[in-house]
Amino acid sequence: MRASRLISLLLLLQARGSMTAGELARELEVSERTVYRDVLALSAAGVPVYADRGRDGGYRLLGGYRTRLTGLTRDEAEALFLSGLPGPAGDMGLADAVAAAELKVLAALPPALRDAPARAGQRFHLDVPGWFRETPPPPWLTDLARAVWRDRLVELRYRRGDREVTRRVQPYGLVLKSGAWYLVGRVDDDTRTYRVDRVTGVEVGEESFARDEGFDLAGHWREQAGSFLRAMLRAEATVRLSPVGLRRLRHLVDAPFVYDEVVAAAGEPDGQGWVVARLPVESVGVAYHQLLGLGPEVEVLDPPELRRLFTDAADRFRALYR
């Protein structure tokens, strides 16, 4: 445990240049007294770590000292090569950079761990696009990725419905969701999301923008995705579900929270185990196609328009199988 912490302390100083004892203690989740002891242990082991006194002081490594990656465990080394995600990286034009970085890491590994990339590649593969479709990378993805890395303003031409709009965007990040790439960026003070395969042109200028370092791309995406899905559910259907229908409903709704809310708000089961539930839906038409997959395990009670569609479907089924 202590050996792992000493390596973490060394890598923190190597990555950040200078850190106070308090900052190191918070990162390592130990006391400052433990940090003092660990620094002494590193010094005794020959690591040139020293302390700057004063208000802006802290611990730092002498003369650009770097350590080789001899402290990696096998699990850590294999996880490192898993994190490359060669498919998405290649889509963004970073395949060569990823390959070069992996070669450098591989050269720094001790001989006993140099089979890590082969072991990881043989055991795990990420296939992002959905079934039954090939999703080539959007034509402007590489340009947008470069702009994101370099914090460069872009002029974005974007297809919206039957017209094209132009926006001057601060590109904050790219998100890959179900095989589709999205650009998250700011236009003035508004944060917006653009689907990259609808981008018709990108001009990357020389002008940079000041990134808000407090912006959390992952957190923003989770919040926006949840809000987007809820905004789509503008209607509601009242249904009776058999125990089998209630279980199968999980696989038919697009948003997991819909199923959880339906189950939580469902009424008490009747004598046959059927429950009455209110189901948020995008529209009557979408609800019809979703619920039709439950067959005789669902009865639509409301709205009348949806119930009529199921009545008509039942009549047509009866005529086909008479």
Side-chain angles (χ1 to χ4, degrees):
M1 179 66 180
R2 190 189 185 200
S4 175
R5 190 176 68 244
L6 289 174
I7 292 170
S8 296
L9 191 155
L10 176 56
L11 293 176
L12 281 169
L13 292 178
Q14 187 170 294
R16 301 188 188 179
S18 176
M19 296 181 71
T20 66
E23 290 169 339
L24 287 166
R26 285 191 294 273
E27 287 282 351
L28 299 172
E29 298 182 348
V30 296
S31 67
E32 291 189 25
R33 185 181 295 274
T34 298
V35 170
Y36 300 145
R37 288 199 298 265
D38 288 349
V39 169
L40 288 174
L42 285 176
S43 296
V47 177
V49 57
Y50 72 98
D52 278 333
R53 306 282 182 186
R55 181 177 179 181
D56 298 320
Y59 291 108
R60 65 176 66 245
L61 297 172
L62 182 65
Y65 174 86
R66 311 291 291 178
T67 181
R68 291 174 63 84
L69 297 177
T70 53
L72 284 176
T73 67
R74 171 164 292 280
D75 287 346
E76 290 167 342
E78 290 172 353
L80 183 64
F81 285 98
L82 271 179
S83 66
L85 304 180
D91 289 350
M92 291 188 290
L94 299 173
D96 290 343
V98 169
E102 288 186 350
L103 281 174
K104 291 176 181 178
V105 172
L106 188 60
L109 288 174
L113 297 182
R114 287 185 184 162
D115 64 339
R119 283 173 53 86
Q122 289 168 352
R123 288 162 174 77
F124 300 98
H125 174 67
L126 178 64
D127 186 9
V128 176
W131 287 101
F132 312 118
R133 60 175 178 169
E134 289 293 329
T135 309
W140 297 102
L141 180 61
T142 300
D143 298 81
L144 289 171
R146 290 197 187 104
V148 167
W149 276 115
R150 298 170 185 172
D151 293 339
R152 294 286 177 84
L153 283 167
V154 300
E155 188 169 282
L156 195 73
R157 294 193 299 278
Y158 187 76
R159 189 175 66 253
R160 177 174 290 172
D162 57 355
R163 63 191 181 97
E164 188 177 272
V165 298
T166 301
R167 296 288 184 268
R168 189 170 168 83
V169 181
Q170 298 175 2
Y172 264 65
L174 287 161
V175 176
L176 179 60
K177 172 70 173 178
S178 300
W181 285 94
Y182 297 85
L183 173 71
V184 177
R186 285 191 176 174
V187 178
D188 299 324
D189 294 328
D190 188 19
T191 303
R192 302 183 185 181
T193 301
Y194 300 92
R195 185 161 167 149
V196 178
D197 59 10
R198 295 178 186 165
V199 172
T200 59
V202 173
E203 292 184 18
V204 182
E206 294 299 320
E207 185 180 354
S208 299
F209 65 91
R211 175 180 290 268
D212 177 4
E213 297 300 335
F215 179 77
D216 178 6
L217 178 62
H220 172 80
W221 180 260
R222 284 193 299 270
E223 181 180 339
Q224 290 299 110
S227 299
F228 174 73
L229 288 172
R230 287 186 182 278
M232 288 177 59
L233 304 175
R234 301 186 181 96
E236 186 178 78
T238 304
V239 296
R240 286 182 69 238
L241 293 159
S242 72
V244 173
L246 187 60
R247 288 197 302 272
R248 290 182 182 172
L249 182 66
R250 178 192 299 274
H251 307 292
L252 296 179
V253 296
D254 296 322
F257 66 80
V258 170
Y259 179 79
D260 295 337
E261 292 176 1
V262 167
V263 171
E268 290 295 322
D270 62 17
Q272 296 176 312
W274 287 59
V275 297
V276 175
R278 294 183 180 276
L279 179 66
V281 296
E282 185 176 344
S283 66
V284 168
V286 172
Y288 170 70
H289 290 290
Q290 287 178 324
L291 293 174
L292 198 61
L294 294 179
E297 307 301 331
V298 63
E299 178 190 1
V300 174
L301 304 178
D302 195 62
E305 179 185 357
L306 182 58
R307 186 175 175 88
R308 283 194 297 270
L309 288 173
F310 271 81
T311 300
D312 179 61
D315 290 340
R316 286 185 288 135
F317 273 123
R318 191 177 298 111
L320 284 172
Y321 291 99
R322 183 174 297 159

Short mmCIF file of all heavy atoms in Angstrom, two decimals, residues 260-303:
data_model
loop_
_atom_site.label_atom_id
_atom_site.label_comp_id
_atom_site.label_asym_id
_atom_site.label_seq_id
_atom_site.Cartn_x
_atom_site.Cartn_y
_atom_site.Cartn_z
N ASP A 260 -38.38 2.95 -14.82
CA ASP A 260 -38.31 3.04 -13.35
C ASP A 260 -39.50 3.84 -12.80
O ASP A 260 -40.08 3.46 -11.77
CB ASP A 260 -37.00 3.70 -12.93
CG ASP A 260 -35.79 2.85 -13.30
OD1 ASP A 260 -35.95 1.63 -13.47
OD2 ASP A 260 -34.69 3.42 -13.43
N GLU A 261 -39.85 4.94 -13.48
CA GLU A 261 -40.97 5.76 -13.01
C GLU A 261 -42.30 5.04 -13.18
O GLU A 261 -43.20 5.16 -12.34
CB GLU A 261 -40.97 7.10 -13.75
CG GLU A 261 -39.79 7.99 -13.39
CD GLU A 261 -39.75 9.27 -14.19
OE1 GLU A 261 -40.66 9.48 -15.02
OE2 GLU A 261 -38.82 10.07 -13.97
N VAL A 262 -42.45 4.29 -14.27
CA VAL A 262 -43.69 3.53 -14.50
C VAL A 262 -43.88 2.50 -13.41
O VAL A 262 -44.97 2.35 -12.83
CB VAL A 262 -43.66 2.86 -15.89
CG1 VAL A 262 -44.78 1.82 -16.01
CG2 VAL A 262 -43.81 3.90 -16.99
N VAL A 263 -42.82 1.77 -13.11
CA VAL A 263 -42.90 0.73 -12.07
C VAL A 263 -43.21 1.34 -10.71
O VAL A 263 -44.04 0.84 -9.95
CB VAL A 263 -41.59 -0.08 -12.02
CG1 VAL A 263 -41.58 -1.02 -10.83
CG2 VAL A 263 -41.40 -0.87 -13.31
N ALA A 264 -42.56 2.46 -10.39
CA ALA A 264 -42.75 3.10 -9.09
C ALA A 264 -44.18 3.61 -8.92
O ALA A 264 -44.72 3.59 -7.80
CB ALA A 264 -41.75 4.24 -8.92
N ALA A 265 -44.80 4.09 -10.02
CA ALA A 265 -46.13 4.70 -9.91
C ALA A 265 -47.27 3.75 -10.26
O ALA A 265 -48.44 4.14 -10.20
CB ALA A 265 -46.20 5.93 -10.83
N ALA A 266 -46.95 2.51 -10.63
CA ALA A 266 -47.99 1.55 -11.03
C ALA A 266 -48.90 1.21 -9.85
O ALA A 266 -48.48 1.22 -8.69
CB ALA A 266 -47.35 0.28 -11.58
N GLY A 267 -50.15 0.92 -10.16
CA GLY A 267 -51.10 0.55 -9.12
C GLY A 267 -50.86 -0.86 -8.60
O GLY A 267 -49.96 -1.57 -9.06
N GLU A 268 -51.69 -1.26 -7.62
CA GLU A 268 -51.58 -2.61 -7.06
C GLU A 268 -52.02 -3.64 -8.09
O GLU A 268 -52.99 -3.42 -8.84
CB GLU A 268 -52.44 -2.74 -5.81
CG GLU A 268 -51.91 -1.93 -4.62
CD GLU A 268 -50.57 -2.45 -4.15
OE1 GLU A 268 -50.37 -3.68 -4.15
OE2 GLU A 268 -49.72 -1.61 -3.79
N PRO A 269 -51.35 -4.81 -8.19
CA PRO A 269 -51.77 -5.85 -9.13
C PRO A 269 -53.17 -6.36 -8.81
O PRO A 269 -53.56 -6.44 -7.64
CB PRO A 269 -50.72 -6.96 -8.92
CG PRO A 269 -49.56 -6.28 -8.26
CD PRO A 269 -50.13 -5.17 -7.44
N ASP A 270 -53.93 -6.70 -9.87
CA ASP A 270 -55.26 -7.28 -9.66
C ASP A 270 -55.12 -8.78 -9.40
O ASP A 270 -54.01 -9.29 -9.20
CB ASP A 270 -56.17 -6.99 -10.86
CG ASP A 270 -55.65 -7.60 -12.16
OD1 ASP A 270 -54.78 -8.50 -12.10
OD2 ASP A 270 -56.11 -7.17 -13.24
N GLY A 271 -56.23 -9.49 -9.44
CA GLY A 271 -56.19 -10.91 -9.13
C GLY A 271 -55.35 -11.73 -10.07
O GLY A 271 -54.86 -12.81 -9.70
N GLN A 272 -55.13 -11.24 -11.30
CA GLN A 272 -54.31 -11.96 -12.27
C GLN A 272 -52.89 -11.41 -12.37
O GLN A 272 -52.12 -11.84 -13.22
CB GLN A 272 -54.98 -11.89 -13.65
CG GLN A 272 -56.34 -12.59 -13.71
CD GLN A 272 -56.99 -12.41 -15.06
OE1 GLN A 272 -57.04 -11.31 -15.61
NE2 GLN A 272 -57.48 -13.52 -15.61
N GLY A 273 -52.57 -10.44 -11.51
CA GLY A 273 -51.24 -9.88 -11.52
C GLY A 273 -51.05 -8.70 -12.45
O GLY A 273 -49.94 -8.16 -12.58
N TRP A 274 -52.13 -8.25 -13.14
CA TRP A 274 -52.02 -7.12 -14.05
C TRP A 274 -52.03 -5.81 -13.27
O TRP A 274 -52.70 -5.71 -12.23
CB TRP A 274 -53.19 -7.12 -15.04
CG TRP A 274 -53.09 -8.20 -16.10
CD1 TRP A 274 -53.02 -9.54 -15.88
CD2 TRP A 274 -53.07 -8.00 -17.51
NE1 TRP A 274 -52.95 -10.21 -17.07
CE2 TRP A 274 -52.99 -9.29 -18.10
CE3 TRP A 274 -53.12 -6.88 -18.34
CZ2 TRP A 274 -52.94 -9.47 -19.48
CZ3 TRP A 274 -53.08 -7.07 -19.70
CH2 TRP A 274 -52.97 -8.35 -20.27
N VAL A 275 -51.29 -4.80 -13.77
CA VAL A 275 -51.24 -3.50 -13.11
C VAL A 275 -51.62 -2.42 -14.11
O VAL A 275 -51.44 -2.55 -15.31
CB VAL A 275 -49.84 -3.20 -12.54
CG1 VAL A 275 -49.45 -4.20 -11.46
CG2 VAL A 275 -48.79 -3.15 -13.64
N VAL A 276 -52.19 -1.33 -13.59
CA VAL A 276 -52.50 -0.16 -14.40
C VAL A 276 -51.37 0.86 -14.21
O VAL A 276 -50.97 1.12 -13.07
CB VAL A 276 -53.85 0.46 -14.00
CG1 VAL A 276 -54.10 1.76 -14.78
CG2 VAL A 276 -54.98 -0.54 -14.26
N ALA A 277 -50.86 1.39 -15.30
CA ALA A 277 -49.72 2.31 -15.23
C ALA A 277 -49.89 3.44 -16.23
O ALA A 277 -50.52 3.27 -17.28
CB ALA A 277 -48.42 1.56 -15.49
N ARG A 278 -49.31 4.58 -15.90
CA ARG A 278 -49.26 5.72 -16.82
C ARG A 278 -47.88 5.74 -17.46
O ARG A 278 -46.86 5.73 -16.75
CB ARG A 278 -49.53 7.02 -16.08
CG ARG A 278 -50.94 7.13 -15.52
CD ARG A 278 -51.16 8.48 -14.85
NE ARG A 278 -52.50 8.61 -14.32
CZ ARG A 278 -53.56 9.00 -15.02
NH1 ARG A 278 -53.41 9.30 -16.31
NH2 ARG A 278 -54.75 9.09 -14.47
N LEU A 279 -47.86 5.78 -18.79
CA LEU A 279 -46.61 5.67 -19.54
C LEU A 279 -46.34 6.96 -20.32
O LEU A 279 -47.09 7.29 -21.23
CB LEU A 279 -46.69 4.48 -20.50
CG LEU A 279 -45.48 4.22 -21.40
CD1 LEU A 279 -44.28 3.81 -20.55
CD2 LEU A 279 -45.81 3.13 -22.42
N PRO A 280 -45.27 7.71 -19.99
CA PRO A 280 -44.92 8.88 -20.80
C PRO A 280 -44.48 8.42 -22.19
O PRO A 280 -43.67 7.49 -22.33
CB PRO A 280 -43.76 9.52 -20.04
CG PRO A 280 -43.78 8.90 -18.68
CD PRO A 280 -44.36 7.54 -18.85
N VAL A 281 -45.00 9.07 -23.25
CA VAL A 281 -44.68 8.67 -24.61
C VAL A 281 -44.39 9.90 -25.46
O VAL A 281 -44.81 11.02 -25.12
CB VAL A 281 -45.82 7.86 -25.26
CG1 VAL A 281 -46.02 6.54 -24.52
CG2 VAL A 281 -47.11 8.65 -25.27
N GLU A 282 -43.69 9.69 -26.56
CA GLU A 282 -43.36 10.79 -27.46
C GLU A 282 -44.59 11.26 -28.22
O GLU A 282 -44.81 12.45 -28.38
CB GLU A 282 -42.27 10.34 -28.43
CG GLU A 282 -41.76 11.43 -29.34
CD GLU A 282 -40.61 10.95 -30.20
OE1 GLU A 282 -40.01 9.90 -29.89
OE2 GLU A 282 -40.30 11.63 -31.21
N SER A 283 -45.41 10.31 -28.70
CA SER A 283 -46.63 10.62 -29.44
C SER A 283 -47.48 9.36 -29.49
O SER A 283 -47.02 8.27 -29.14
CB SER A 283 -46.30 11.09 -30.86
OG SER A 283 -45.73 10.04 -31.61
N VAL A 284 -48.71 9.51 -29.96
CA VAL A 284 -49.58 8.35 -30.09
C VAL A 284 -49.00 7.36 -31.08
O VAL A 284 -49.00 6.14 -30.85
CB VAL A 284 -51.00 8.80 -30.53
CG1 VAL A 284 -51.84 7.59 -30.97
CG2 VAL A 284 -51.70 9.52 -29.39
N GLY A 285 -48.45 7.85 -32.21
CA GLY A 285 -47.88 6.97 -33.21
C GLY A 285 -46.69 6.18 -32.69
O GLY A 285 -46.58 4.97 -32.92
N VAL A 286 -45.79 6.86 -31.97
CA VAL A 286 -44.62 6.17 -31.41
C VAL A 286 -45.06 5.16 -30.35
O VAL A 286 -44.55 4.04 -30.30
CB VAL A 286 -43.63 7.19 -30.82
CG1 VAL A 286 -42.51 6.48 -30.06
CG2 VAL A 286 -43.04 8.06 -31.93
N ALA A 287 -46.01 5.54 -29.52
CA ALA A 287 -46.51 4.62 -28.49
C ALA A 287 -47.12 3.37 -29.10
O ALA A 287 -46.94 2.26 -28.60
CB ALA A 287 -47.53 5.33 -27.60
N TYR A 288 -47.84 3.56 -30.22
CA TYR A 288 -48.47 2.41 -30.90
C TYR A 288 -47.39 1.41 -31.33
O TYR A 288 -47.51 0.20 -31.07
CB TYR A 288 -49.26 2.91 -32.10
CG TYR A 288 -49.75 1.81 -33.01
CD1 TYR A 288 -50.76 0.94 -32.61
CD2 TYR A 288 -49.20 1.63 -34.28
CE1 TYR A 288 -51.21 -0.08 -33.45
CE2 TYR A 288 -49.63 0.63 -35.11
CZ TYR A 288 -50.63 -0.23 -34.70
OH TYR A 288 -51.07 -1.23 -35.53
N HIS A 289 -46.34 1.88 -31.99
CA HIS A 289 -45.30 0.97 -32.47
C HIS A 289 -44.50 0.36 -31.32
O HIS A 289 -44.08 -0.81 -31.42
CB HIS A 289 -44.36 1.72 -33.42
CG HIS A 289 -45.01 2.07 -34.73
ND1 HIS A 289 -45.33 1.12 -35.67
CD2 HIS A 289 -45.40 3.26 -35.24
CE1 HIS A 289 -45.90 1.70 -36.72
NE2 HIS A 289 -45.95 3.00 -36.49
N GLN A 290 -44.31 1.09 -30.24
CA GLN A 290 -43.59 0.52 -29.10
C GLN A 290 -44.42 -0.55 -28.39
O GLN A 290 -43.95 -1.66 -28.15
CB GLN A 290 -43.23 1.62 -28.11
CG GLN A 290 -42.10 2.53 -28.58
CD GLN A 290 -41.80 3.63 -27.58
OE1 GLN A 290 -42.69 4.15 -26.93
NE2 GLN A 290 -40.52 4.00 -27.46
N LEU A 291 -45.67 -0.21 -28.08
CA LEU A 291 -46.50 -1.12 -27.29
C LEU A 291 -46.99 -2.31 -28.09
O LEU A 291 -47.32 -3.36 -27.52
CB LEU A 291 -47.70 -0.35 -26.72
CG LEU A 291 -47.35 0.71 -25.67
CD1 LEU A 291 -48.58 1.51 -25.29
CD2 LEU A 291 -46.72 0.07 -24.44
N LEU A 292 -47.02 -2.18 -29.43
CA LEU A 292 -47.45 -3.31 -30.25
C LEU A 292 -46.53 -4.51 -30.04
O LEU A 292 -46.97 -5.66 -30.18
CB LEU A 292 -47.46 -2.89 -31.73
CG LEU A 292 -48.27 -3.78 -32.69
CD1 LEU A 292 -49.74 -3.80 -32.29
CD2 LEU A 292 -48.12 -3.28 -34.12
N GLY A 293 -45.27 -4.23 -29.67
CA GLY A 293 -44.34 -5.31 -29.42
C GLY A 293 -44.69 -6.16 -28.20
O GLY A 293 -44.15 -7.25 -28.04
N LEU A 294 -45.58 -5.67 -27.35
CA LEU A 294 -46.00 -6.45 -26.18
C LEU A 294 -47.15 -7.40 -26.49
O LEU A 294 -47.50 -8.25 -25.65
CB LEU A 294 -46.41 -5.50 -25.04
CG LEU A 294 -45.29 -4.64 -24.46
CD1 LEU A 294 -45.84 -3.73 -23.38
CD2 LEU A 294 -44.16 -5.50 -23.91
N GLY A 295 -47.76 -7.25 -27.67
CA GLY A 295 -48.83 -8.16 -28.06
C GLY A 295 -49.95 -8.21 -27.04
O GLY A 295 -50.42 -7.16 -26.55
N PRO A 296 -50.40 -9.42 -26.67
CA PRO A 296 -51.53 -9.56 -25.74
C PRO A 296 -51.16 -9.31 -24.28
O PRO A 296 -51.99 -9.52 -23.39
CB PRO A 296 -51.96 -11.01 -25.94
CG PRO A 296 -50.71 -11.72 -26.32
CD PRO A 296 -49.93 -10.74 -27.16
N GLU A 297 -49.92 -8.86 -24.02
CA GLU A 297 -49.50 -8.60 -22.64
C GLU A 297 -49.80 -7.17 -22.22
O GLU A 297 -49.43 -6.77 -21.12
CB GLU A 297 -48.00 -8.88 -22.48
CG GLU A 297 -47.55 -10.26 -22.95
CD GLU A 297 -48.25 -11.39 -22.22
OE1 GLU A 297 -48.64 -11.21 -21.05
OE2 GLU A 297 -48.41 -12.46 -22.83
N VAL A 298 -50.46 -6.38 -23.07
CA VAL A 298 -50.80 -5.00 -22.74
C VAL A 298 -52.21 -4.69 -23.24
O VAL A 298 -52.63 -5.18 -24.29
CB VAL A 298 -49.79 -4.01 -23.35
CG1 VAL A 298 -49.80 -4.07 -24.88
CG2 VAL A 298 -50.05 -2.59 -22.88
N GLU A 299 -52.96 -3.90 -22.47
CA GLU A 299 -54.25 -3.35 -22.90
C GLU A 299 -54.18 -1.84 -22.76
O GLU A 299 -53.86 -1.32 -21.69
CB GLU A 299 -55.40 -3.89 -22.05
CG GLU A 299 -56.74 -3.28 -22.46
CD GLU A 299 -57.86 -3.60 -21.48
OE1 GLU A 299 -57.60 -4.28 -20.46
OE2 GLU A 299 -58.99 -3.14 -21.73
N VAL A 300 -54.46 -1.14 -23.85
CA VAL A 300 -54.46 0.31 -23.82
C VAL A 300 -55.81 0.80 -23.30
O VAL A 300 -56.86 0.42 -23.83
CB VAL A 300 -54.18 0.89 -25.22
CG1 VAL A 300 -54.32 2.41 -25.20
CG2 VAL A 300 -52.78 0.49 -25.69
N LEU A 301 -55.79 1.64 -22.29
CA LEU A 301 -57.02 2.21 -21.72
C LEU A 301 -57.25 3.64 -22.22
O LEU A 301 -58.40 4.06 -22.41
CB LEU A 301 -56.95 2.19 -20.19
CG LEU A 301 -56.71 0.82 -19.54
CD1 LEU A 301 -56.61 0.97 -18.03
CD2 LEU A 301 -57.81 -0.16 -19.92
N ASP A 302 -56.18 4.38 -22.42
CA ASP A 302 -56.30 5.79 -22.79
C ASP A 302 -54.97 6.21 -23.41
O ASP A 302 -53.92 5.68 -23.04
CB ASP A 302 -56.60 6.63 -21.53
CG ASP A 302 -57.08 8.03 -21.84
OD1 ASP A 302 -58.14 8.15 -22.48
OD2 ASP A 302 -56.36 8.97 -21.47
N PRO A 303 -54.98 7.11 -24.41
CA PRO A 303 -56.10 7.88 -24.95
C PRO A 303 -56.93 7.06 -25.94
O PRO A 303 -56.45 6.05 -26.45
CB PRO A 303 -55.39 9.04 -25.65
CG PRO A 303 -54.08 8.46 -26.08
CD PRO A 303 -53.68 7.52 -25.00
#
